[in-house]
Amino acid sequence: MPNLRFKAVAEAAARKALEFDAPSKKASEYFGKYVFDRNNMRKYLSKDTLKQVLAAIDRGEPLNSDVAGQVASAMRVWAMELGATHYTHWFHPLTDGTAEKHEAFIDFDGHGGMIENFSGKLLSQQEPDASSFPSGGIRNTFEARGYTAWDPSSPAFVVKDTLCIPTIFISYTGEALDYKTPLLKSINVLDKAATEVCRYFDRNVKHVTGYLGWEQEYFLIDEALYFARPDLILTERTLMGHDSAKNQQLEDHYFGAIPSRVAAFMRDLENECWLLSIPIKARHNEVAPGQFEFAPIFEECNLAVDHNLLLMSVMKKVAERHHFKVLLHEKPFKGINGSGKHCNWSLGTDTGVNLMSPGKNTKENLQFITFVVNTLMAVHKHNALLKAGISSATNAHRLGGNEAPPAIISVFMGTQISAILDELESNEEIREIAMQDKTGTRLPLNHIPELFVDNTDRNRTSPFAFTGNKFEFRAVGSSANCASAMLALNTAMTGQLMDFKKETDELIASGMKTADAVFAVVRKCIRASKAVCFDGNGYSEEWRIEAERRGLNCETRVPYILDAYLSESSEELFAKTKVLTKVELHARNEVKWEQYTKKVQIEARVLGDLAMNHIIPVATRYQGVLLDSLYKIQAVYDRDEVKRIAGQNLSIIESIAEHIDAIKLQVDEMVDARKISNKIESEREKAIAYCENVVPFLEEIRYHIDKLELIVDNEMWTLPKYRELLFIR
Ligand code: ADP
Ligand code: MG
């Protein structure tokens, strides 16, 4: 029987870069061709309809059914010109990824024939049979109705033959069953709360928009090698595999040229993204071999989230054309860097000011400091919640490991801003000087722009870092829907801004001048949020001890981290901001715990199966070969010479036996642990049991398998090894 591994290696090695026919047009000429964006709306909608749709998009004004009908039929005409025959409501269930159910445009015409039809009602709302999507018990399966409802703020788009309409997904009783619903709410409440605070500085501000620029990391491996690894197919990560002798030590991948097959994939993907209005701007190699990154120009948060979800699915499709598989898992390979999705986050006013960027004058700088300090407070108060927002079974492999992010959410501010905050807090005279709106060398607030010119200090060990004109939330996992992290952050910030406003208003009511009041509360916040600021090495053990002392959440076990959604402070925050109700929070946690359990359960099953019916047989076969040779040696040599000649083989035979024994024993124990855990009713307790009693076996079993990989004849080993998975292009 041919060794599948060698076949896969040969196939992968023989692959050439796909010739990619770059379009002859400039990107700016075809950008957004498949999106029903403002340009296309202008062409296909009447002036009046356009005006009403734009009011809905820009100001959240409701759309009446007449207008919806006109939009629907224009959308259909536009989509059919691009070859669409179907439409779907595209939504984000609580599992990661997106969901869609396609329906054809066809309808009876009432005279025995067929027509293409798409009504305002079909655009606005659908009732997918939602019983297969997780709801955490909100929706009993006998009333399996969930609604999807059109989100006009994210434009419809065409993928192949289907018009996709971004929608929210809610239960029959109105609870959110998705990520988009609470994300949109968090965006709205943040707009309101931030606008009110901005108005201390500029009465003209009417809206504040949250921006997100994600950086998507991923691995690419050849599909033949992927298909020869059942663990990758079923879990998206390698559950076994010894380190390659060379991995990322030299960091030569990061600075090296992009391999030609990968470059062709990237160009192809960028092209597809631009057609769909995803503004991909940067592409590069990452630190680990086989690892890469895409980053777009930042956009409004809701749109950016949709674009990231769309990117993840487009990536998978385009990769197939190039005979690659994209791995979005946070840690597909042990011992080398995992993948994250840094979420760059900032707030901007409708008057064109980035609130996270130092301004041109003292007033703008006080506003900047106010928003920075409120962010610090939000992260300080809700650091456990923010961690819950990025936690999952898969991201757990990055969290707590010696790579960003550590499992403690702290903020890196950099030396310059830290010094300014310290001075504002401690120097009694500064308030006087700072409030004078004239330039002078002694004004610390006026110094900020200059200081920032060469602010290059970057701390890669921080999960939440200020990077000059935005905060970078680095703890988000590569496979995650970034809405989860963004809605936690937006909501935490909203709650904090509401508190800030309340306190400032009280001071103003007691007779203080506005600027003085703002200043007083800012100062108090600087003091109160000190514990969350940390510029040192986030990986060090000293930091963990120090963080604990400062009262930051240091939990590393996912099922317990998720408890933060239900803490008193979180429930209060979500109620105050009206982003999620208590019922929703509890239901969503049920889903998260269940997801956690299922992921671990699948990994445990796959590893158990592979260990028993793959690894042990291969190792036993090799052991047999060694025994055969020993037998022959014995036939030729004297008994006491055998040891001299074949001593090494004897010890390998024994060591194979020891590893096989250990694997068998631990697989049995793991199966028992699973059986016991499966009987537990409560999703939380079950997830904890899986975390504490099943997960440890994954590592222990792997240890013995990886040892066998080193011993067993390379010719006999049937699973592609790390050196092949990671280095073949
Ligand atoms: P890095 O050094 O981390 O790669 P970049 O400057 O290349 O940083 O930016 C990374 C991401 O940050 C990009 O997606 C970019 O669009 C986004 N970004 C830049 N400015 C902002 C901002 N003001 N708000 C939100 N995201 C931003
Ligand atoms: Mg970055």
Side-chain angles (χ1 to χ4, degrees):
M1 199 186 74
N3 185 328
L4 285 178
R5 167 170 156 238
F6 292 130
K7 188 167 165 283
V9 169
E11 241 177 75
R15 244 167 311 247
K16 297 267 174 302
L18 198 78
E19 277 307 319
F20 173 66
D21 262 342
S24 53
K25 285 183 175 175
K26 287 186 284 187
S28 56
E29 288 168 336
Y30 63 89
F31 189 87
K33 182 175 169 202
Y34 289 111
V35 180
F36 199 61
D37 57 10
R38 283 168 201 245
N39 260 340
N40 282 317
M41 281 185 200
R42 242 172 252 130
K43 286 186 213 146
Y44 287 79
L45 293 176
S46 72
K47 261 209 171 109
D48 204 39
T49 311
L50 178 69
K51 207 171 129 201
Q52 296 194 57
V53 174
L54 293 183
I57 295 173
D58 296 334
R59 297 190 293 282
E61 285 175 19
L63 272 182
N64 67 37
S65 57
D66 274 359
V67 178
Q70 284 158 29
V71 177
S73 74
M75 249 186 213
R76 180 183 59 75
V77 170
W78 165 79
M80 284 176 64
E81 284 173 13
L82 293 170
T85 50
H86 288 64
Y87 68 92
T88 183
H89 277 198
W90 182 81
F91 60 100
H92 320 155
L94 290 172
T95 48
D96 286 330
T98 57
E100 44 203 79
K101 175 185 164 207
H102 298 193
E103 306 246 8
F105 284 130
I106 54 166
D107 207 349
F108 292 122
D109 68 357
H111 310 285
M114 298 299 274
I115 51 161
E116 267 74 26
N117 186 29
F118 185 48
S119 67
K121 192 162 170 290
L122 293 175
L123 165 66
S124 307
Q125 195 171 310
Q126 249 191 354
E127 264 186 61
D129 172 15
S131 53
S132 50
F133 294 109
S135 71
I138 283 182
R139 183 173 28 69
N140 296 320
T141 29
F142 58 82
E143 44 148 339
R145 277 183 296 180
Y147 287 110
T148 51
W150 179 34
D151 164 21
S153 64
S154 180
F157 54 90
V158 167
V159 175
K160 291 230 160 77
D161 60 359
T162 306
L163 167 67
C164 302
I165 296 140
T167 56
I168 57 166
F169 180 39
I170 51 178
S171 76
Y172 185 60
T173 40
E175 283 95 3
L177 297 176
D178 66 349
Y179 279 112
K180 196 190 252 290
T181 308
L183 177 70
L184 286 171
K185 286 185 183 171
S186 77
I187 288 170
N188 285 337
V189 291
L190 180 56
D191 173 8
K192 196 156 170 286
T195 300
E196 285 183 356
V197 171
C198 280
R199 289 167 70 88
Y200 289 134
F201 305 94
D202 180 357
R203 307 291 305 160
N204 296 319
V205 175
K206 290 193 188 64
H207 281 288
V208 171
T209 306
Y211 293 102
L212 165 63
W214 38 262
E215 301 165 58
Q216 178 71 54
E217 293 181 336
Y218 61 97
F219 279 87
L220 278 183
I221 65 166
D222 186 88
E223 68 179 12
L225 293 161
Y226 171 89
F227 285 122
R229 290 284 311 220
D231 49 352
L232 276 180
I233 299 174
L234 298 173
T235 71
E236 269 224 2
R237 82 173 172 111
T238 54
L239 298 172
M240 56 191 75
H242 199 281
D243 280 353
S244 165
K246 172 179 188 265
N247 52 40
Q248 65 186 47
Q249 309 94 317
L250 302 175
E251 297 201 349
D252 46 359
H253 182 59
Y254 191 83
F255 298 107
I258 297 176
S260 57
R261 260 183 85 193
V262 177
F265 158 78
M266 287 175 162
R267 278 198 304 278
D268 197 353
L269 185 96
E270 279 168 348
N271 188 51
E272 294 278 337
C273 284
W274 294 338
L275 285 164
L276 286 165
S277 287
I278 307 172
I280 291 295
K281 185 150 171 86
R283 56 175 187 208
H284 58 82
N285 292 347
E286 265 301 326
V287 178
Q291 194 186 26
F292 308 91
E293 180 183 299
F294 277 119
I297 302 170
F298 65 94
E299 297 177 283
E300 182 280 316
C301 190
N302 176 41
L303 194 58
V305 167
D306 280 359
H307 279 165
N308 179 248
L309 288 161
L310 191 52
L311 171 95
M312 292 197 283
S313 75
V314 175
M315 271 173 106
K316 290 183 182 165
K317 285 183 201 152
V318 174
E320 269 172 28
R321 280 208 282 276
H322 296 259
H323 301 285
F324 279 128
K325 279 285 170 185
V326 173
L327 303 180
L328 293 171
H329 192 289
E330 282 76 2
K331 193 78 178 175
F333 303 100
K334 191 183 166 185
I336 60 175
N337 277 12
S339 301
K341 176 150 50 201
H342 294 179
C343 285
N344 295 273
W345 174 85
S346 68
L347 302 175
T349 66
D350 56 346
T351 54
V353 174
N354 175 358
L355 295 167
M356 299 304 180
S357 184
K360 292 181 290 295
N361 54 46
T362 304
K363 197 162 159 186
E364 281 183 12
N365 280 331
L366 181 58
Q367 177 170 265
F368 157 66
I369 292 289
T370 299
F371 277 87
V372 162
V373 164
N374 273 292
T375 310
L376 289 178
M377 277 298 275
V379 180
H380 178 241
K381 274 191 203 160
H382 299 288
N383 74 97
L385 173 67
L386 290 173
K387 185 160 68 183
I390 53 97
S391 283
S392 65
T394 52
N395 205 19
H397 297 282
R398 278 172 80 229
L399 271 173
N402 243 10
E403 64 181 278
I408 302 160
I409 305 293
S410 62
V411 188
F412 169 84
M413 289 305 299
T415 40
Q416 289 153 333
I417 289 283
S418 297
I420 290 166
L421 295 183
D422 281 347
E423 193 157 11
L424 287 178
E425 185 214 330
S426 58
N427 186 343
E428 287 301 324
E429 291 158 40
I430 250 169
R431 191 192 58 77
E432 289 302 319
I433 321 167
M435 297 318 295
Q436 296 166 14
D437 200 358
K438 53 182 176 182
T439 44
T441 45
R442 285 172 57 240
L443 308 191
L445 288 173
N446 275 343
H447 273 247
I448 300 172
E450 286 168 49
L451 287 171
F452 262 88
V453 173
D454 56 17
N455 175 16
T456 49
D457 60 344
R458 291 228 167 166
N459 182 335
R460 291 283 161 196
T461 71
S462 175
F464 198 97
F466 181 69
T467 49
N469 58 356
K470 60 191 187 293
F471 281 92
E472 185 169 337
F473 196 3
R474 301 198 183 115
V476 184
S478 49
S479 71
N481 180 337
C482 27
S484 174
M486 288 299 103
L487 81 91
L489 180 57
N490 287 343
T491 310
M493 184 67 168
T494 304
Q496 169 54 32
L497 288 169
M498 288 162 85
D499 293 348
F500 182 88
K501 167 110 183 5
K502 187 160 169 268
E503 229 175 295
T504 307
D505 283 351
E506 276 165 16
L507 292 182
I508 294 170
S510 74
M512 227 187 229
K513 277 201 206 129
T514 302
D516 289 348
V518 168
F519 207 93
V521 185
V522 160
R523 231 176 190 187
K524 205 175 136 196
C525 291
I526 294 174
R527 226 163 282 149
S529 63
K530 274 256 156 81
V532 86
C533 296
F534 178 66
D535 282 7
N537 177 7
Y539 301 157
S540 69
E541 177 57 15
E542 295 86 68
W543 167 232
R544 203 195 50 74
I545 295 165
E546 167 67 9
E548 206 142 50
R549 198 189 56 76
R550 294 191 192 180
L552 299 178
N553 186 292
C554 299
E555 182 59 65
T556 57
R557 297 161 300 176
V558 174
Y560 291 104
I561 290 175
L562 294 173
D563 284 340
Y565 276 114
L566 309 179
S567 70
E568 214 175 295
S569 72
S570 297
E571 282 189 1
E572 192 197 329
L573 172 73
F574 282 111
K576 170 163 104 176
T577 53
K578 300 197 173 66
V579 170
L580 285 165
T581 65
K582 207 167 157 174
V583 173
E584 287 172 317
L585 283 169
H586 280 260
R588 296 167 85 88
N589 258 35
E590 294 290 300
V591 175
K592 285 175 197 236
W593 282 314
E594 194 188 335
Q595 290 282 312
Y596 178 86
T597 299
K598 282 186 178 161
K599 287 254 161 97
V600 177
Q601 193 176 52
I602 291 169
E603 289 191 350
R605 282 189 182 148
V606 172
L607 184 63
D609 289 354
L610 281 177
M612 297 308 295
N613 58 33
H614 205 112
I615 303 300
I616 292 186
V618 168
T620 310
R621 207 174 309 147
Y622 180 54
Q623 199 184 32
V625 170
L626 294 176
L627 279 165
D628 269 354
S629 122
L630 205 63
Y631 202 69
K632 287 172 188 156
I633 290 170
Q634 254 176 345
V636 176
Y637 291 90
D638 285 347
R639 220 183 149 71
D640 20 314
E641 284 227 85
V642 171
K643 228 185 163 98
R644 183 178 61 81
I645 296 173
Q648 276 311 318
N649 284 6
L650 263 176
S651 82
I652 294 176
I653 290 169
E654 276 164 26
S655 132
I656 290 176
E658 281 164 24
H659 290 303
I660 288 179
D661 276 356
I663 291 172
K664 173 79 178 74
L665 188 76
Q666 286 175 21
V667 168
D668 287 345
E669 285 181 17
M670 178 172 75
V671 171
D672 286 342
R674 245 169 39 216
K675 281 188 185 151
I676 295 172
S677 312
N678 289 343
K679 292 210 181 77
I680 301 174
E681 279 282 313
S682 140
E683 291 295 351
R684 178 177 182 273
E685 299 305 318
K686 197 192 291 184
I688 290 172
Y690 264 89
C691 174
E692 291 182 344
N693 305 331
V694 178
V695 166
F697 283 113
L698 295 175
E699 268 312 293
E700 283 177 33
I701 295 168
R702 174 184 191 138
Y703 170 82
H704 294 286
I705 295 178
D706 291 355
K707 287 285 178 208
L708 285 174
E709 188 192 308
L710 282 185
I711 304 174
V712 171
D713 181 359
N714 188 49
E715 295 275 329
M716 288 187 176
W717 199 259
T718 55
L719 297 175
K721 298 181 172 183
Y722 271 24
R723 62 176 182 239
E724 295 149 356
L725 291 171
L726 287 165
F727 290 98
I728 287 184
R729 303 242 191 294

